[in-house]
Amino acid sequence: MSSASPDLPDPQLLAIGMQIRRLREERGYSLEQLAERSGLSFRGLIYIEHGQRNASTLTLLRIASGLDVHSGKLFDGRSHDATDGLAPEI
């Protein structure tokens, strides 16, 4: 069980969302453009980028495809600081 407040996004989801945003901005895509390229809704992408939605595996694969990156790249920006104390590394 996470110790995060219900009002605050989960640190791991926020780290993934921040990485998605960074990759999107590096490519010069607006949220609307990434939504169209990935087949997702604009609002759904906002929630994911802000760590407010736990995206499914298929959704993350669609986002990676829309960004033209390997899906693992979405996790490159995950900060170890953001996950400290939540779960042991495997």
Side-chain angles (χ1 to χ4, degrees):
M1 181 168 221
S2 175
S3 61
S5 166
D7 296 333
L8 298 175
D10 181 282
Q12 293 179 88
L13 295 179
L14 185 57
I16 292 167
M18 289 171 46
Q19 174 69 352
I20 290 169
R21 181 177 180 177
R22 186 182 70 74
L23 292 167
R24 176 178 60 78
E25 290 177 345
E26 280 179 2
R27 283 152 182 74
Y29 298 154
S30 68
L31 278 164
E32 293 90 350
Q33 288 171 316
L34 181 55
E36 185 175 321
R37 291 176 58 86
S38 60
L40 301 170
S41 74
F42 169 82
R43 182 149 323 270
L45 281 172
I46 290 173
Y47 288 133
I48 292 167
E49 283 193 2
H50 289 109
Q52 308 241 330
R53 179 168 291 162
N54 188 356
S56 72
T57 302
L58 292 176
T59 297
L60 292 174
L61 290 171
R62 289 171 131 187
I63 291 170
S65 176
L67 291 168
D68 292 321
V69 298
H70 185 277
S71 58
K73 189 81 169 161
L74 301 182
F75 300 95
D76 285 353
R78 206 178 105 229
S79 168
H80 292 288
D81 295 335
T83 59
D84 281 350
L86 293 179
E89 292 282 328
I90 296 176

